[in-house]
Amino acid sequence: MTALTLSTAAASGLRADAIVVGVAKGPKGPVVAPGAEAVDKAYDGGLAGILETLGASGSEGEVTKLPAPSGFKTPVVLAVGLGAAPEEDDGFDAEALRRAAGAAARALAGSKKAAFALPVTDAADAGAVAEGALLGAYSFDAYKDTVGAAKNGKGPLGEVTLLGGKPRDAAYKAAVARATALTDELNRARDLVNTPPNDLNPESFAAVATTAGKEHGIKVQVFDEKALVKGGFGGILGVGAGSAAGPRLVKLSYTSSKAKKHLAFVGKGITYDSGGISLKPAGHNETMKCDMAGAAAVFAAVVTAARLGLDVNVTGWLALAENMPSGSATRPGDVLRMYSGKTVEVLNTDAEGRLVLADALWKASEEKPDAIVDVATLTGAMVLALGNRTFGVMANDDAFRASIVDAAEEVGEESWPMPLPEHLRKGMDSPTADIANMGERMGGGLVAGLFLREFVGEGITWAHVDIAGPAFNEAGPFGYTPKGGTGSAVRTLVRLAELTAAGDLG
């Protein structure tokens, strides 16, 4: 795990493997960003010219390495692109700082220590740089020869020293503490998403949650197969029926004595999705270990809320199952009786996420929280609509939907508000059951949202976040986002909890 410290030390006197400076894209070439004044001075004010000669432009994420100037105790200067230079008197926005810090941290893999001299004008900037660096340094090495990787200079960056910070200032210390707690748990969510399904099943995921609960004062209740049968959780049991690894429903409860509001987060946790009897074709199942990313996000958000001591009650529900084909698996045409009492005709066993979520949503509704947010890698239709970096947000309340989109934008996650068109509901009418788990093919992501709405308690504000696109990055890394599990929606959920604790959300 990468360590992080604040420092007021002079750049020239700090011992590290590299010093990171920012460079922006100006109208006439690269411009050295604030924070790098001492470094630029050591180059006799010619750092921008040197970088331009080396081909740097200041474009976002661009990385250029050059020898450190004479007298510096660091051998390398790494210039990272911040994108377009802001207008005079404006600073760089938080997301630009996060992405630049992340790109730099990733480029410094194998280094023991790096000093970051990026633009930091206040505690919020310090928090953004810290967050980006700690997320960018992430590496999933659980199944690799880490000793060999370290020897070959391929391990993650060991330590980040943030220059320009104020180690004794309460606001700076709080910003860095928040960034550390948030990134620790977001990176744990990434680990869970990246863990192979032969090692992560519903039971082992529940064990991880139980251990974390004991560590951070979170009450954890695990509903095993016997409890699920007794409770009548037909959706979760139906999805898990084909697997040798039994399903689980996990409840995590963080409470604050000062809380005035209660949020419930519900996460889809399909630890492997083969599609069941409606089997996925080759080429569509290789990354289906990531189908529990919603549950990982909910788990991480609840633990982060506890670590930050937020004045809001947060309950997380992890609906965990493995969707496999076998002689005991649910078949297309079967009818499941859900926890709510409604019956569902299963037309496609690969539309299983909505079935486990439906049970968890109704269970969460029983506690009458002020709002429920479910998070799921639910539909390929949402990926077709919004691409691989943007999640869709649907809700039964337009203002709440807007609040989630605004919170996502604030923390640097791309989202888009989506509708719940009433005319699509008719497509789920079933001649056999109360509702079918499939409807019209066109607008499939919206149909899934309408299905979930059927299982939200009356009068409860609810939103559905479909992270099917951004949850697992199959392309190359960018900014602070690695290849593989990304931790999508964790920061948005944490921000919602913070806003609710502050009284700024409903």
Side-chain angles (χ1 to χ4, degrees), residues 5-320:
T5 57
L6 291 168
S7 177
T8 56
S12 59
L14 194 69
R15 294 187 182 278
D17 296 303
I19 183 166
V20 177
V21 299
V23 57
K25 192 171 186 178
K28 297 181 180 180
V31 178
V32 177
E37 292 84 357
V39 178
D40 189 30
K41 183 177 180 181
Y43 285 109
D44 295 324
L47 178 56
I50 295 171
L51 290 171
E52 187 171 22
T53 299
L54 293 173
S57 66
S59 297
E60 181 183 304
E62 178 185 77
V63 171
T64 307
K65 293 182 180 180
L66 63 158
S70 177
F72 273 59
K73 293 182 179 179
T74 52
V76 173
V77 170
L78 185 149
V80 62
L82 287 157
E87 297 293 329
E88 191 174 354
D89 298 328
D90 289 339
F92 291 91
D93 66 52
E95 183 62 6
L97 296 176
R98 282 190 207 99
R99 291 181 179 181
R106 188 175 63 255
L108 290 168
S111 300
K112 292 182 179 179
K113 181 178 180 179
F116 281 62
L118 293 174
V120 172
T121 59
D122 55 23
D125 288 347
V129 173
E131 193 177 310
L134 294 173
L135 292 177
Y138 171 81
S139 179
F140 183 65
D141 299 322
Y143 295 83
K144 295 180 180 178
D145 176 6
T146 53
V147 175
K151 287 182 179 178
N152 295 326
K154 295 181 180 179
L157 173 62
E159 181 181 349
V160 171
T161 298
L162 182 54
L163 301 181
K166 299 176 181 179
R168 297 182 181 180
D169 184 281
Y172 277 77
K173 289 166 67 176
V176 169
R178 178 190 183 278
T180 300
L182 174 61
T183 56
D184 280 352
E185 300 311 323
L186 194 154
N187 284 336
R188 174 156 44 183
R190 290 172 168 178
D191 283 348
L192 287 167
V193 174
N194 288 326
T195 299
N198 58 319
D199 279 346
L200 187 73
N201 58 37
E203 183 179 3
S204 58
F205 195 151
V208 171
T210 300
T211 300
K214 292 177 180 177
E215 182 181 357
H216 298 292
I218 301 167
K219 183 179 178 181
V220 180
Q221 182 180 4
V222 179
F223 297 77
D224 60 13
E225 284 175 277
K226 185 177 179 180
L228 292 171
V229 170
K230 184 178 180 181
F233 292 87
I236 296 174
L237 288 165
V239 173
S243 175
R248 297 289 188 273
L249 176 63
V250 180
K251 177 185 179 183
L252 301 104
S253 302
Y254 162 68
T255 57
S256 167
S257 61
K258 298 179 181 179
K260 295 181 180 179
K261 296 284 186 178
H262 176 200
L263 293 176
F265 297 150
V266 177
K268 172 188 172 184
I270 305 300
T271 56
Y272 182 74
D273 182 18
S274 70
I277 297 297
S278 305
L279 194 67
K280 293 179 185 290
H284 291 78
N285 54 19
E286 291 81 358
T287 62
M288 282 297 102
K289 65 181 182 180
C290 79
D291 213 21
M292 38 58 66
V298 166
F299 167 56
V302 176
V303 177
T304 303
R307 290 183 61 173
L308 297 178
L310 300 181
D311 293 335
V312 59
N313 293 337
V314 183
T315 305
W317 297 90
L318 316 182
L320 308 175

Side-chain angles (χ1 to χ4, degrees), residues 452-505:
L452 295 176
R453 191 183 65 178
E454 298 279 324
F455 298 89
V456 177
E458 186 176 352
I460 297 175
T461 301
W462 157 82
H464 163 56
V465 178
D466 191 338
I467 60 170
F472 197 83
N473 177 26
E474 295 186 64
F478 58 93
Y480 50 80
T481 302
K483 185 166 184 171
T486 64
S488 178
V490 173
R491 290 178 295 149
T492 298
L493 294 180
V494 171
R495 189 60 187 141
L496 280 174
E498 290 175 325
L499 291 168
T500 304
D504 295 331
L505 190 68

